[in-house]
Amino acid sequence: MSGLHVGIIMDGNGRWARAQGKPRWRGHLAGVDSVRDVVRGAPDLGVTTLTLYAFSSDNWKRPRGEVGRLFWLLREYCQRERAELVENGVRLTQIGRRDRIPKSALAELKKTEQATARGRRLHLRLAIDYSARWAISEATKRLARRVEQGRLDCKAISCDTLRRAIANGVPDPDLIIRTAGEQRLSDFLLWEAAYAELYFTSVLWPDFRRGELALALSEFQQRERRFGGVLDAGDAAATAVGQ
Ligand code: IPE
Ligand code: IPE
Ligand code: MG
């Protein structure tokens, strides 16, 4: 049974650290505990796909030391969590560019992707060196190449063609959560988010645990998703006739 796809923009590590008088990287370190807890709790909350925004392509603008620590944390996470992920039926994959990820982190990431490939309980997607605009332009490039090679008719390109090229079979996110109060997408899942419900919380990422996820999901359950249609078709028809 396919459940919910939740995307999370994990923000506020720096502010969490500052509030405690600690260096920024301590916030990232605490943020890993939140990742672990949310990944553990997600399946029981009906989540079958979880996309976590861990490092944006714009995050390369940060000081070298901070970037280095973030990739060190990624390597550590992959190493330490691998066995538990396998045991819990979690399949981990990465989305985003792979060519700029430091070698040692990439090696651990690949090992974890391979080791967890058979996980069926939760698909955990880590967005690393990710940019939605980049993902869309890459998909466009792939389609253009097929047109060039005569394998795709330009006139046959539709939203569905693009959707398949961009999302690679992964269902659109139902809910996108952003922590730490900012209300923007920061280049996260721009195509896929067309009808996602958005949930903003002031809770900083290191304080966001499975209980916070449960709270977000219970609010999500109250939302009325119409996808451009009407909820009660009979009622709508009556209104249209009666005007
Ligand atoms: C999110 O926390 C982690 C990453 C973007 C890698 P931040 O580091 O952006 O934390 P703030 O926004 O400075 O508080
Ligand atoms: C978005 O957070 C990226 C991640 C959470 C990985 P940022 O902190 O980088 O985004 P802005 O700069 O506030 O938009
Ligand atoms: Mg931030």
Side-chain angles (χ1 to χ4, degrees), residues 10-16 24 28 54-55 59 62 66 70:
M10 309 183 289
D11 200 13
N13 294 352
R15 276 162 279 179
W16 183 90
R24 288 180 59 82
H28 298 315
F55 189 87
N59 289 148
R62 296 187 178 208
E66 179 171 348
L70 283 166

Side-chain angles (χ1 to χ4, degrees), residues 187-206:
D187 206 5
F188 185 56
L189 303 179
L190 297 184
W191 171 281
E192 299 91 320
Y195 275 100
E197 294 295 326
L198 306 179
Y199 177 89
F200 300 106
T201 170
S202 59
V203 173
L204 305 173
W205 177 250

Side-chain angles (χ1 to χ4, degrees), residues 177-194:
I177 298 170
R178 182 166 186 149
T179 60
E182 247 66 72
Q183 302 194 359
R184 53 176 170 260
L185 291 175
S186 302
D187 206 5
F188 185 56
L189 303 179
L190 297 184
W191 171 281
E192 299 91 320

Side-chain angles (χ1 to χ4, degrees), residues 10 28-29 32 35 52 54-55 60 66-82 85 92-94 97 100-110 112 124-129:
M10 309 183 289
H28 298 315
L29 187 65
V32 177
V35 170
L52 299 180
F55 189 87
W60 291 108
E66 179 171 348
V67 169
R69 282 187 196 272
L70 283 166
F71 282 105
W72 181 83
L73 282 172
L74 169 66
R75 202 186 69 194
E76 286 284 302
Y77 177 80
C78 288
Q79 248 169 12
R80 284 172 192 225
E81 301 299 311
R82 195 176 297 132
L85 294 174
L92 182 147
T93 60
Q94 178 256 356
R97 287 181 65 160
R100 302 189 292 192
I101 297 178
K103 277 198 181 65
S104 56
L106 185 62
E108 292 301 326
L109 184 62
K110 281 182 181 167
T112 310
L124 170 62
R125 303 197 310 159
L126 295 184
I128 297 162
D129 197 357

Side-chain angles (χ1 to χ4, degrees), residues 5 18 40 46 51 59 69 80 101 119 149 162 169 180 197 211:
H5 178 181
R18 198 190 319 128
R40 282 179 182 161
T51 304
N59 289 148
R69 282 187 196 272
R80 284 172 192 225
I101 297 178
Q149 294 166 341
L162 263 156
E197 294 295 326

Side-chain angles (χ1 to χ4, degrees), residues 108-128:
E108 292 301 326
L109 184 62
K110 281 182 181 167
K111 259 194 198 172
T112 310
E113 285 180 332
Q114 281 158 12
T116 61
R118 285 141 70 107
R120 290 290 171 268
R121 212 163 149 246
L122 175 70
H123 183 188
L124 170 62
R125 303 197 310 159
L126 295 184
I128 297 162

